[in-house]
Structures are given as structure tokens and as C-alpha cells.
Amino acid sequence: MTDDAAKFVGSIPEHYDRYLGPRIFADFAQDLAARLSQQDPKSVLELAAGTGIVSRAIRDALPGNCELVATDLNEPMLEAAREKFQDAEPIQFRQADAMALPFSDESFDALACQFGVMFFPDKLESYVEAHRVLKPGGRYIFSVWDSWTYNPFAQLAHEAVADFFPANPPGFYKVPFGYRDTDTISASLLEAGFAKASHDVVSIDSAIPSSSDFATGLVFGNPLFDEIIARNGNPDEIRLAVSAAIEAGLGDKMPLQAIVITAEKG
């Protein structure tokens, strides 16, 4: 299971996919899919697939005879992911816990996960499971966000929201940007049984055609929304404040930076 902060349910998947997907996830999805295609896998398991942004990129990048299984703990996210595919396309969707994968040992040539590991409460156990289901020589490619310094939209959103709750600010935006130390990540992967681990830093610039739309995603498209409701806040009022902060702090373009980890099973 994942942290409460990782429960993407209700109306969250729709806002996540529409307003955050094109701005902060799509370009990194293309990068991850390209890395997978270079490995020429015959079977791929995706963890924390969300609304299928990466799933779609992977399916487009790999041959049709490559088996692709997309999993997520949250069934509402998978429902949104299914809408990106025709019925006849070769992909399976499974609800699955990344720390207790419902697959046999050595089932897949490659594993992929974009911006999901940060939400796993027992990261070491998730790595043990990833190692277990990988075939010998297989690779686990996953991405984590770098710090707020390189992803200023997150700090702007966090601070704009915190102004409404000075005594008890929501902490959602600290979660996805708080797991980035590559030495710690590599040590955990080696402890889980992987033979080696390496990383690349991927930086992009992303357009912000509408600060209002982007703010809608930042407030309504993740579990921050539930944190606001739990504090009796007004999400619409907060969205306006986040929009103003994004427009003033970033304008119509923002830098983004991720760290892509590649772990190889011996």
C-alpha cells in the first residue's frame, strides 16, 4: 500500500491528467520510454502507472509483440489510463501494490516507474519486489523529482497554499520532492539485490500556456485537494492564489528537473 498522500481518487485523476500531464509529466514520459526501447525488452511491467501518460509513451515506443503490463494501486487512475488505449491494443492493466507484486519470480525483462517511488512507504521492500520479478540481466528504470530548487513550481504552490494555513500547512508538495539523494537510493537498490545502479539528471523547460489551468492541476489534481478540504479551506480561492504565484514567479515557462535511476539485476 502507499501513503495516504498517494491516494489519487475521486475527481483527482481527471484534473491530474488534463492539467498536470502536459505540463510536468509528458516530456519525461517520452524520455523514459526511449530509455526502455534501447533495452529491446520483450516484457515490461510499469509500476504506479497513474493515468497512463507513461504507459501510452511506452506502448508507442516498443514493438507490438512486447508484453506491457501497467499497474497502479489506485483503480480510478487505471480507469483513466484505459481511456488512452483502443480495446485491441496489446496492454494489460492490473491493480497492484508495488510492495507485494502479484507476479511470479523473473517474469519481466524490464520495469518502469515515473515519479511513483517517492510515495511508496517501504521503498526497500518495493525494490526487493522489483528485483524479484525481474529476469536476470533485467533493468528497473525509474524517475524521481529533483529538489524544489530545480522545480520551482512546487515551492511556489506550497508557499501559496501554506499562507492559508500558517499553523498547519498541507505537506503534500514535500513528499514527491523529498526523495532524491542518489547515494541513498543506490544503497537501497544494492541492498535489495541489484548488481549496480546509475543515474542521469534530465532537465527540460515546459510551457505554461495558462497559469489558471496549471493551478487547477496543482490544487485539484493531487491529494493536496483532500488536505485543503480536511482543513476546511476553499480550494477555489486557493487555486486563484496559486495561479497568481505561478504567473508572478514563472510567467509562461518553467524549468523542470528529474533524476532517472537505472538498476540492473545480475
Side-chain angles (χ1 to χ4, degrees):
M1 61 184 298
T2 58
D3 288 326
D4 289 342
K7 291 182 178 178
F8 290 75
V9 297
S11 63
I12 288 175
E14 178 183 358
H15 290 104
Y16 171 101
D17 193 66
R18 178 179 298 180
Y19 298 115
L20 296 183
R23 305 280 74 83
I24 62 175
F25 297 126
D27 289 336
F28 290 116
Q30 295 298 324
D31 175 83
L32 192 151
R35 292 170 187 269
L36 273 177
S37 67
Q38 292 172 4
Q39 308 305 317
D40 192 28
K42 300 300 183 291
S43 56
V44 175
L45 174 65
E46 183 187 358
L47 306 178
T51 60
I53 295 169
V54 180
S55 311
R56 181 70 268 174
I58 293 174
R59 185 68 282 167
D60 290 342
L62 298 178
N65 62 356
C66 176
E67 177 189 10
L68 175 58
V69 181
T71 66
D72 198 277
L73 183 63
N74 299 295
E75 181 60 34
M77 296 290 267
L78 290 178
E79 290 175 4
R82 290 185 181 96
E83 296 180 1
K84 291 182 169 62
F85 294 85
Q86 300 296 320
D87 290 341
E89 289 190 88
I91 183 171
Q92 300 175 47
F93 293 97
R94 293 277 300 272
Q95 186 174 17
D97 184 335
M99 285 153 293
L101 293 172
F103 304 103
S104 301
D105 295 357
E106 301 182 0
S107 295
F108 298 94
D109 294 322
L111 268 65
C113 183
Q114 177 167 284
F115 303 132
V117 172
M118 306 91 70
F119 295 107
F120 300 161
D122 190 336
K123 295 170 181 59
L124 177 58
E125 185 59 29
S126 77
Y127 296 150
V128 169
E129 279 292 275
H131 183 272
R132 179 182 66 79
V133 302
L134 266 177
K135 295 178 182 179
R139 293 184 177 182
Y140 181 20
I141 304 175
F142 64 94
S143 57
V144 298
W145 286 113
D146 210 331
S147 70
W148 283 353
T149 300
Y150 303 102
N151 298 286
F153 79 90
Q155 183 170 2
L156 289 168
H158 173 80
E159 291 176 350
V161 175
D163 284 343
F164 288 84
F165 310 98
N168 184 26
F172 172 77
Y173 277 108
K174 294 183 178 180
V175 177
F177 297 89
Y179 184 68
R180 60 184 186 275
D181 184 86
T182 54
D183 289 339
T184 298
I185 294 170
S186 294
S188 293
L189 288 164
L190 295 178
E191 183 179 352
F194 285 93
K196 59 182 178 180
S198 60
H199 72 275
D200 295 313
V201 174
V202 180
S203 303
I204 66 170
D205 287 324
S206 179
I208 309 175
S210 167
S211 61
S212 178
D213 285 352
F214 188 36
T216 298
L218 293 172
V219 173
F220 289 83
N222 58 56
L224 170 66
F225 175 77
D226 294 326
E227 292 189 274
I228 292 170
I229 296 300
R231 290 165 172 76
N232 297 313
N234 183 330
D236 289 308
E237 183 181 4
I238 292 172
R239 181 190 64 81
L240 292 175
V242 172
S243 177
I246 293 295
E247 186 168 359
L250 296 174
D252 61 1
K253 187 169 68 174
M254 63 179 162
L256 300 172
Q257 187 160 294
I259 302 168
V260 180
I261 312 293
T262 300
E264 185 173 332
K265 181 173 180 176

